[in-house]
PDB file of all heavy atoms in Angstrom:
ATOM      1  N   THR A 230     152.345  46.975  44.509  1.00 94.00           N
ATOM      2  CA  THR A 230     152.257  47.083  45.980  1.00 94.00           C
ATOM      3  C   THR A 230     153.604  46.950  46.668  1.00 94.00           C
ATOM      4  O   THR A 230     153.755  47.347  47.822  1.00 94.00           O
ATOM      5  CB  THR A 230     151.330  45.990  46.535  1.00 94.00           C
ATOM      6  OG1 THR A 230     151.946  44.704  46.324  1.00 94.00           O
ATOM      7  CG2 THR A 230     149.976  46.015  45.846  1.00 94.00           C
ATOM      8  N   ASP A 232     154.729  44.020  47.308  1.00 85.00           N
ATOM      9  CA  ASP A 232     154.622  42.667  47.845  1.00 85.00           C
ATOM     10  C   ASP A 232     154.421  41.705  46.690  1.00 85.00           C
ATOM     11  O   ASP A 232     153.391  41.760  45.993  1.00 85.00           O
ATOM     12  CB  ASP A 232     153.443  42.596  48.818  1.00 85.00           C
ATOM     13  CG  ASP A 232     153.269  41.205  49.414  1.00 85.00           C
ATOM     14  OD1 ASP A 232     154.252  40.435  49.408  1.00 85.00           O
ATOM     15  OD2 ASP A 232     152.153  40.891  49.868  1.00 85.00           O
ATOM     16  N   LYS A 233     155.396  40.818  46.462  1.00 89.00           N
ATOM     17  CA  LYS A 233     155.365  39.891  45.323  1.00 89.00           C
ATOM     18  C   LYS A 233     155.189  40.715  44.047  1.00 89.00           C
ATOM     19  O   LYS A 233     155.750  41.784  43.907  1.00 89.00           O
ATOM     20  CB  LYS A 233     154.253  38.863  45.510  1.00 89.00           C
ATOM     21  CG  LYS A 233     154.363  38.061  46.802  1.00 89.00           C
ATOM     22  CD  LYS A 233     153.196  37.106  46.962  1.00 89.00           C
ATOM     23  CE  LYS A 233     153.278  36.375  48.301  1.00 89.00           C
ATOM     24  NZ  LYS A 233     152.118  35.484  48.528  1.00 89.00           N
ATOM     25  N   ASN A 234     154.401  40.223  43.115  1.00 93.00           N
ATOM     26  CA  ASN A 234     154.099  40.984  41.907  1.00 93.00           C
ATOM     27  C   ASN A 234     152.627  41.384  41.916  1.00 93.00           C
ATOM     28  O   ASN A 234     151.913  41.213  40.935  1.00 93.00           O
ATOM     29  CB  ASN A 234     154.433  40.166  40.657  1.00 93.00           C
ATOM     30  CG  ASN A 234     155.923  40.156  40.376  1.00 93.00           C
ATOM     31  OD1 ASN A 234     156.593  41.181  40.504  1.00 93.00           O
ATOM     32  ND2 ASN A 234     156.453  39.010  40.006  1.00 93.00           N
ATOM     33  N   TYR A 235     152.189  41.909  43.030  1.00 96.00           N
ATOM     34  CA  TYR A 235     150.809  42.374  43.162  1.00 96.00           C
ATOM     35  C   TYR A 235     150.740  43.859  42.783  1.00 96.00           C
ATOM     36  O   TYR A 235     151.708  44.600  42.945  1.00 96.00           O
ATOM     37  CB  TYR A 235     150.304  42.202  44.595  1.00 96.00           C
ATOM     38  CG  TYR A 235     150.091  40.774  45.030  1.00 96.00           C
ATOM     39  CD1 TYR A 235     150.393  39.698  44.196  1.00 96.00           C
ATOM     40  CD2 TYR A 235     149.596  40.491  46.298  1.00 96.00           C
ATOM     41  CE1 TYR A 235     150.197  38.391  44.606  1.00 96.00           C
ATOM     42  CE2 TYR A 235     149.392  39.182  46.725  1.00 96.00           C
ATOM     43  CZ  TYR A 235     149.704  38.134  45.873  1.00 96.00           C
ATOM     44  OH  TYR A 235     149.512  36.831  46.289  1.00 96.00           O
ATOM     45  N   PHE A 236     149.566  44.250  42.296  1.00 97.00           N
ATOM     46  CA  PHE A 236     149.366  45.679  42.026  1.00 97.00           C
ATOM     47  C   PHE A 236     147.967  46.098  42.456  1.00 97.00           C
ATOM     48  O   PHE A 236     147.029  45.298  42.484  1.00 97.00           O
ATOM     49  CB  PHE A 236     149.610  46.012  40.544  1.00 97.00           C
ATOM     50  CG  PHE A 236     148.652  45.374  39.563  1.00 97.00           C
ATOM     51  CD1 PHE A 236     147.490  46.037  39.154  1.00 97.00           C
ATOM     52  CD2 PHE A 236     148.923  44.121  39.013  1.00 97.00           C
ATOM     53  CE1 PHE A 236     146.625  45.456  38.232  1.00 97.00           C
ATOM     54  CE2 PHE A 236     148.061  43.534  38.091  1.00 97.00           C
ATOM     55  CZ  PHE A 236     146.907  44.197  37.698  1.00 97.00           C
ATOM     56  N   TYR A 237     147.861  47.377  42.822  1.00 98.00           N
ATOM     57  CA  TYR A 237     146.571  47.968  43.149  1.00 98.00           C
ATOM     58  C   TYR A 237     145.888  48.402  41.855  1.00 98.00           C
ATOM     59  O   TYR A 237     146.549  48.826  40.905  1.00 98.00           O
ATOM     60  CB  TYR A 237     146.731  49.188  44.059  1.00 98.00           C
ATOM     61  CG  TYR A 237     147.334  48.897  45.402  1.00 98.00           C
ATOM     62  CD1 TYR A 237     148.562  49.450  45.771  1.00 98.00           C
ATOM     63  CD2 TYR A 237     146.669  48.094  46.324  1.00 98.00           C
ATOM     64  CE1 TYR A 237     149.125  49.202  47.013  1.00 98.00           C
ATOM     65  CE2 TYR A 237     147.230  47.844  47.574  1.00 98.00           C
ATOM     66  CZ  TYR A 237     148.444  48.391  47.911  1.00 98.00           C
ATOM     67  OH  TYR A 237     148.990  48.141  49.129  1.00 98.00           O
ATOM     68  N   ARG A 244     131.240  43.204  40.106  1.00 98.00           N
ATOM     69  CA  ARG A 244     130.580  44.102  41.050  1.00 98.00           C
ATOM     70  C   ARG A 244     130.003  45.277  40.262  1.00 98.00           C
ATOM     71  O   ARG A 244     130.421  45.537  39.134  1.00 98.00           O
ATOM     72  CB  ARG A 244     131.558  44.601  42.118  1.00 98.00           C
ATOM     73  CG  ARG A 244     132.755  45.354  41.563  1.00 98.00           C
ATOM     74  CD  ARG A 244     133.675  45.878  42.649  1.00 98.00           C
ATOM     75  NE  ARG A 244     134.229  44.824  43.469  1.00 98.00           N
ATOM     76  CZ  ARG A 244     135.333  44.140  43.174  1.00 98.00           C
ATOM     77  NH1 ARG A 244     135.995  44.408  42.062  1.00 98.00           N
ATOM     78  NH2 ARG A 244     135.786  43.199  43.971  1.00 98.00           N
ATOM     79  N   LEU A 249     138.577  49.647  44.920  1.00 98.00           N
ATOM     80  CA  LEU A 249     140.034  49.530  44.948  1.00 98.00           C
ATOM     81  C   LEU A 249     140.386  48.112  45.372  1.00 98.00           C
ATOM     82  O   LEU A 249     139.959  47.656  46.440  1.00 98.00           O
ATOM     83  CB  LEU A 249     140.626  50.542  45.925  1.00 98.00           C
ATOM     84  CG  LEU A 249     142.139  50.442  46.174  1.00 98.00           C
ATOM     85  CD1 LEU A 249     142.932  50.681  44.902  1.00 98.00           C
ATOM     86  CD2 LEU A 249     142.570  51.426  47.262  1.00 98.00           C
ATOM     87  N   VAL A 250     141.139  47.420  44.528  1.00 98.00           N
ATOM     88  CA  VAL A 250     141.446  46.010  44.782  1.00 98.00           C
ATOM     89  C   VAL A 250     142.943  45.767  44.638  1.00 98.00           C
ATOM     90  O   VAL A 250     143.692  46.609  44.133  1.00 98.00           O
ATOM     91  CB  VAL A 250     140.675  45.087  43.815  1.00 98.00           C
ATOM     92  CG1 VAL A 250     139.171  45.304  43.940  1.00 98.00           C
ATOM     93  CG2 VAL A 250     141.122  45.308  42.367  1.00 98.00           C
ATOM     94  N   GLU A 251     143.357  44.581  45.069  1.00 98.00           N
ATOM     95  CA  GLU A 251     144.737  44.138  44.906  1.00 98.00           C
ATOM     96  C   GLU A 251     144.724  42.921  43.993  1.00 98.00           C
ATOM     97  O   GLU A 251     143.973  41.973  44.226  1.00 98.00           O
ATOM     98  CB  GLU A 251     145.337  43.789  46.266  1.00 98.00           C
ATOM     99  CG  GLU A 251     146.832  43.562  46.255  1.00 98.00           C
ATOM    100  CD  GLU A 251     147.372  43.348  47.655  1.00 98.00           C
ATOM    101  OE1 GLU A 251     147.387  44.324  48.436  1.00 98.00           O
ATOM    102  OE2 GLU A 251     147.748  42.202  47.973  1.00 98.00           O
ATOM    103  N   ILE A 252     145.567  42.949  42.949  1.00 98.00           N
ATOM    104  CA  ILE A 252     145.556  41.896  41.922  1.00 98.00           C
ATOM    105  C   ILE A 252     146.943  41.275  41.812  1.00 98.00           C
ATOM    106  O   ILE A 252     147.970  41.967  41.865  1.00 98.00           O
ATOM    107  CB  ILE A 252     145.128  42.481  40.559  1.00 98.00           C
ATOM    108  CG1 ILE A 252     143.671  42.977  40.627  1.00 98.00           C
ATOM    109  CG2 ILE A 252     145.282  41.461  39.443  1.00 98.00           C
ATOM    110  CD1 ILE A 252     143.209  43.681  39.375  1.00 98.00           C
ATOM    111  N   ASN A 253     146.967  39.961  41.656  1.00 98.00           N
ATOM    112  CA  ASN A 253     148.198  39.219  41.413  1.00 98.00           C
ATOM    113  C   ASN A 253     148.545  39.341  39.933  1.00 98.00           C
ATOM    114  O   ASN A 253     147.813  38.851  39.069  1.00 98.00           O
ATOM    115  CB  ASN A 253     148.003  37.754  41.794  1.00 98.00           C
ATOM    116  CG  ASN A 253     149.278  36.945  41.670  1.00 98.00           C
ATOM    117  OD1 ASN A 253     150.203  37.312  40.950  1.00 98.00           O
ATOM    118  ND2 ASN A 253     149.336  35.824  42.378  1.00 98.00           N
ATOM    119  N   ALA A 254     149.657  40.007  39.624  1.00 97.00           N
ATOM    120  CA  ALA A 254     150.024  40.244  38.232  1.00 97.00           C
ATOM    121  C   ALA A 254     150.427  38.973  37.498  1.00 97.00           C
ATOM    122  O   ALA A 254     150.410  38.936  36.265  1.00 97.00           O
ATOM    123  CB  ALA A 254     151.163  41.258  38.162  1.00 97.00           C
ATOM    124  N   GLU A 255     150.783  37.924  38.236  1.00 97.00           N
ATOM    125  CA  GLU A 255     151.205  36.684  37.578  1.00 97.00           C
ATOM    126  C   GLU A 255     150.034  35.976  36.897  1.00 97.00           C
ATOM    127  O   GLU A 255     150.197  35.361  35.843  1.00 97.00           O
ATOM    128  CB  GLU A 255     151.847  35.743  38.604  1.00 97.00           C
ATOM    129  CG  GLU A 255     153.120  36.285  39.237  1.00 97.00           C
ATOM    130  CD  GLU A 255     154.286  36.321  38.263  1.00 97.00           C
ATOM    131  OE1 GLU A 255     154.178  35.743  37.176  1.00 97.00           O
ATOM    132  OE2 GLU A 255     155.303  36.952  38.606  1.00 97.00           O
ATOM    133  N   ASN A 256     148.848  36.088  37.503  1.00 97.00           N
ATOM    134  CA  ASN A 256     147.704  35.359  36.933  1.00 97.00           C
ATOM    135  C   ASN A 256     146.440  36.210  36.783  1.00 97.00           C
ATOM    136  O   ASN A 256     145.419  35.715  36.298  1.00 97.00           O
ATOM    137  CB  ASN A 256     147.374  34.128  37.798  1.00 97.00           C
ATOM    138  CG  ASN A 256     147.140  34.492  39.257  1.00 97.00           C
ATOM    139  OD1 ASN A 256     146.783  35.629  39.593  1.00 97.00           O
ATOM    140  ND2 ASN A 256     147.360  33.524  40.156  1.00 97.00           N
ATOM    141  N   GLY A 257     146.480  37.485  37.198  1.00 98.00           N
ATOM    142  CA  GLY A 257     145.323  38.358  37.060  1.00 98.00           C
ATOM    143  C   GLY A 257     144.242  38.136  38.095  1.00 98.00           C
ATOM    144  O   GLY A 257     143.179  38.767  38.029  1.00 98.00           O
ATOM    145  N   LYS A 258     144.513  37.301  39.091  1.00 98.00           N
ATOM    146  CA  LYS A 258     143.504  37.004  40.106  1.00 98.00           C
ATOM    147  C   LYS A 258     143.395  38.153  41.114  1.00 98.00           C
ATOM    148  O   LYS A 258     144.400  38.670  41.588  1.00 98.00           O
ATOM    149  CB  LYS A 258     143.873  35.720  40.845  1.00 98.00           C
ATOM    150  CG  LYS A 258     142.884  35.323  41.930  1.00 98.00           C
ATOM    151  CD  LYS A 258     143.349  34.072  42.683  1.00 98.00           C
ATOM    152  CE  LYS A 258     142.409  33.749  43.829  1.00 98.00           C
ATOM    153  NZ  LYS A 258     142.881  32.570  44.609  1.00 98.00           N
ATOM    154  N   GLU A 259     142.155  38.507  41.432  1.00 98.00           N
ATOM    155  CA  GLU A 259     141.924  39.518  42.458  1.00 98.00           C
ATOM    156  C   GLU A 259     142.133  38.884  43.827  1.00 98.00           C
ATOM    157  O   GLU A 259     141.430  37.953  44.211  1.00 98.00           O
ATOM    158  CB  GLU A 259     140.505  40.071  42.345  1.00 98.00           C
ATOM    159  CG  GLU A 259     140.201  41.191  43.317  1.00 98.00           C
ATOM    160  CD  GLU A 259     138.779  41.713  43.165  1.00 98.00           C
ATOM    161  OE1 GLU A 259     138.435  42.203  42.060  1.00 98.00           O
ATOM    162  OE2 GLU A 259     138.000  41.612  44.141  1.00 98.00           O
ATOM    163  N   GLU A 260     143.120  39.402  44.564  1.00 98.00           N
ATOM    164  CA  GLU A 260     143.459  38.823  45.851  1.00 98.00           C
ATOM    165  C   GLU A 260     142.570  39.339  46.977  1.00 98.00           C
ATOM    166  O   GLU A 260     142.188  38.592  47.873  1.00 98.00           O
ATOM    167  CB  GLU A 260     144.928  39.121  46.184  1.00 98.00           C
ATOM    168  CG  GLU A 260     145.918  38.470  45.227  1.00 98.00           C
ATOM    169  CD  GLU A 260     145.915  36.948  45.347  1.00 98.00           C
ATOM    170  OE1 GLU A 260     145.625  36.430  46.453  1.00 98.00           O
ATOM    171  OE2 GLU A 260     146.207  36.280  44.335  1.00 98.00           O
ATOM    172  N   LYS A 261     142.221  40.631  46.936  1.00 97.00           N
ATOM    173  CA  LYS A 261     141.358  41.174  47.984  1.00 97.00           C
ATOM    174  C   LYS A 261     140.818  42.537  47.567  1.00 97.00           C
ATOM    175  O   LYS A 261     141.367  43.205  46.687  1.00 97.00           O
ATOM    176  CB  LYS A 261     142.115  41.301  49.309  1.00 97.00           C
ATOM    177  CG  LYS A 261     143.214  42.341  49.323  1.00 97.00           C
ATOM    178  CD  LYS A 261     143.854  42.433  50.715  1.00 97.00           C
ATOM    179  CE  LYS A 261     144.958  43.487  50.758  1.00 97.00           C
ATOM    180  NZ  LYS A 261     145.561  43.599  52.103  1.00 97.00           N
ATOM    181  N   VAL A 262     139.722  42.909  48.207  1.00 98.00           N
ATOM    182  CA  VAL A 262     139.167  44.247  48.049  1.00 98.00           C
ATOM    183  C   VAL A 262     139.780  45.137  49.122  1.00 98.00           C
ATOM    184  O   VAL A 262     139.660  44.855  50.320  1.00 98.00           O
ATOM    185  CB  VAL A 262     137.632  44.242  48.178  1.00 98.00           C
ATOM    186  CG1 VAL A 262     137.088  45.668  48.120  1.00 98.00           C
ATOM    187  CG2 VAL A 262     137.008  43.394  47.080  1.00 98.00           C
ATOM    188  N   VAL A 263     140.461  46.179  48.717  1.00 98.00           N
ATOM    189  CA  VAL A 263     141.100  47.089  49.671  1.00 98.00           C
ATOM    190  C   VAL A 263     140.086  48.085  50.211  1.00 98.00           C
ATOM    191  O   VAL A 263     140.033  48.348  51.413  1.00 98.00           O
ATOM    192  CB  VAL A 263     142.273  47.833  49.006  1.00 98.00           C
ATOM    193  CG1 VAL A 263     142.946  48.789  50.000  1.00 98.00           C
ATOM    194  CG2 VAL A 263     143.288  46.848  48.447  1.00 98.00           C
TER     195      VAL A 263
END
Side-chain angles (χ1 to χ4, degrees):
T230 67
D232 180 21
K233 303 177 184 177
N234 282 319
Y235 290 3
F236 64 92
Y237 297 117
R244 59 178 61 86
L249 174 62
V250 302
E251 191 175 290
I252 295 175
N253 185 338
E255 297 289 349
N256 55 24
K258 180 183 176 183
E259 184 180 300
E260 296 293 331
K261 68 177 181 179
V262 175
V263 180

